[in-house]
Amino acid sequence: MAGAVLMMTSGVAIVGSKAVISQATGSITQRNLLGDAGKTLAEGGSDLKGPIDMLLLGVDARERWAADDVRADSIIVLHIPATHDQAYLISIPRDTEAQIPAWPKGNYAGGVDKINAAFQVGARNGGGWEGGAQVMAQTIKNMTGVSFDGAAIINFGGFKNVIDALGSVRICPKQDVKSTHMSYVDGKPMWNADAKKTGKPRTPVVHKKGCQEMEGWAALDFSRQRYGLANSDYDRQQNQQQLIKAMAKKASQNGTLTNPVKLNELIKAAGKAFILDTGGVSVEDFVFTMRGVTGNELIMLKTNGGTYNAKGNGNEALDEQTLDMFRAVRQDKLAEFVFYNPEVISNRK
């Protein structure tokens, strides 16, 4: 996500030609992340004149973990209508029960599992992030009918680097949130595993209720919490959307997106932790097309009304309203759907 999300949800009123934009975005790593889930020519996949749908994936891939044992912890569909003047974020709950298609490269015959396992299936046997994203995209297409114009993946470490490059982001937690991942040791935030090794006293990291400026480590840690939240993973989904919107606002307000040099620095901050697929369209064309979308017009939407829709086996299911919402995405009638179903709008600021 990171650079791609910022570019595609913040207007990107970059001063200069497409050549200047190309220079600013030249360091982005591009791969085939969509496989067979990309839009066909009949669906408008040959150009960017119609609605644009992107799959945004956040993964937790730490260096000490096996490369083929990675699940997608953040699954977001970014929809931009054909008018190209608005952007919507729709999170898919990570515990949603899904039919994951067969994936011969990973010796997987297909089956039912939580949707975040789709990425792990594709990453096996050297499939890496590219394979993981392709299986995830196909799984989502089978479930919702939505095909994609592009996709982006970022490791959570890359998210932290991008926020640090921005300086900080303004986040407004709705409740005190105690971190299950980090503690303070001598006033310094550390992963719990590393903090334990010091043998020193540890103080829990608590993200306090109310609006505040967060550094990269704090914003990322806050957006990853689900235990102790009123609606657990559903609140986390909204918090993750809130973080993306906060990043988009900060980048548009501090001039990053109107300065090719600053934009290039931001993309470099994400580094190898960021991979993009623009569906065969050049990055500069993608950016140029998105120039009418602004961070302030990024609308965050809730799946399943923002709370559990359990199947009784520990998995979640998309309710009828959410399936209708994805149908509206396919038909490019999401604005109309939101107008008649205003309760799906997230109240995060």
Side-chain angles (χ1 to χ4, degrees):
M1 291 176 274
V5 173
L6 297 182
M7 288 188 294
M8 294 167 192
T9 62
S10 303
V12 204
I14 292 180
V15 178
S17 65
K18 288 185 181 180
V20 174
I21 298 173
S22 179
Q23 185 178 6
T25 58
S27 63
I28 295 176
T29 300
Q30 296 189 66
R31 295 284 187 273
N32 177 7
L33 303 179
L34 293 174
D36 295 332
K39 285 186 179 174
T40 63
L41 293 179
E43 293 173 314
S46 59
D47 56 50
L48 298 173
K49 294 179 181 178
I52 297 170
D53 297 294
M54 287 201 68
L55 175 60
L56 310 177
L57 301 173
V59 299
D60 188 359
R62 301 175 204 172
E63 291 183 5
R64 61 180 181 271
W65 292 357
D68 61 356
D69 188 22
V70 179
R71 294 194 174 212
D73 270 1
S74 177
I75 308 166
I76 297 175
V77 174
L78 168 68
H79 174 73
I80 296 171
T83 50
H84 296 172
D85 59 355
Q86 197 101 62
Y88 299 86
L89 292 178
I90 306 173
S91 294
I92 296 179
R94 52 176 267 168
D95 291 338
T96 301
E97 186 172 284
Q99 180 69 48
I100 301 175
W103 187 249
K105 294 178 185 177
N107 295 324
Y108 184 72
V112 176
D113 204 335
K114 293 181 178 180
I115 196 168
N116 68 335
F119 194 92
Q120 185 183 45
V121 166
R124 292 174 185 167
N125 296 339
W129 287 12
E130 188 172 343
Q134 288 181 20
V135 177
M136 178 65 79
Q138 189 63 57
T139 301
I140 294 172
K141 179 178 178 178
N142 293 349
M143 175 183 288
T144 66
V146 175
S147 301
F148 297 99
D149 296 276
I153 310 175
I154 189 167
N155 184 2
F156 286 139
F159 243 131
K160 175 187 176 299
N161 293 341
V162 170
I163 297 168
D164 286 340
L166 290 170
S168 64
V169 289
R170 183 174 174 79
I171 300 290
C172 303
K174 296 197 70 177
Q175 66 177 82
D176 286 357
V177 179
K178 181 180 177 180
S179 175
T180 59
H181 304 124
M182 303 188 76
S183 304
Y184 290 111
V185 175
D186 295 332
K188 178 184 177 182
M190 300 179 69
W191 291 105
N192 284 336
D194 296 325
K196 288 178 182 177
K197 293 177 184 177
T198 68
K200 296 181 178 181
R202 293 181 290 145
T203 304
V205 167
V206 179
H207 305 287
K208 295 291 187 179
K209 178 181 178 179
C211 295
Q212 57 205 269
E213 290 289 326
M214 288 189 181
E215 297 177 39
W217 72 266
L220 177 61
D221 186 62
F222 166 70
S223 73
R224 295 183 62 217
Q225 304 305 315
R226 57 179 172 138
Y227 297 110
L229 302 185
N231 280 305
S232 190
D233 188 51
Y234 285 89
D235 279 345
R236 180 171 69 166
Q237 293 164 38
Q238 292 185 63
N239 290 342
Q240 289 172 343
Q241 292 181 359
Q242 182 184 14
L243 174 59
I244 292 172
K245 186 168 185 174
M247 292 168 70
K249 281 187 176 181
K250 184 64 176 279
S252 61
Q253 290 169 355
N254 71 3
T256 295
L257 299 175
T258 57
N259 184 322
V261 175
K262 285 187 176 182
L263 180 59
N264 186 249
E265 290 174 353
L266 196 70
I267 292 168
K268 284 184 176 180
K272 295 179 181 178
F274 174 51
I275 299 176
L276 180 66
D277 181 352
T278 54
V281 177
S282 69
V283 174
E284 56 266 33
D285 283 344
F286 233 107
V287 172
F288 201 73
T289 301
M290 296 310 110
R291 66 192 185 277
V293 182
T294 68
N296 288 331
E297 291 168 358
L298 179 59
I299 298 175
M300 305 180 297
L301 303 180
K302 297 182 289 188
T303 47
N304 294 345
T307 191
Y308 283 99
N309 185 44
K311 290 178 65 68
N313 59 357
N315 296 347
E316 291 290 290
L318 299 183
D319 65 15
E320 285 303 315
Q321 185 182 55
T322 299
L323 292 174
D324 285 344
M325 181 158 57
F326 279 114
R327 191 173 299 113
V329 169
R330 295 200 309 271
Q331 298 172 350
D332 196 23
K333 295 181 178 179
L334 193 54
E336 181 180 336
F337 174 85
V338 171
F339 178 81
Y340 287 107
N341 300 271
E343 67 276 8
V344 301
I345 300 175
S346 171
N347 58 5
R348 297 290 195 275
K349 295 181 178 179

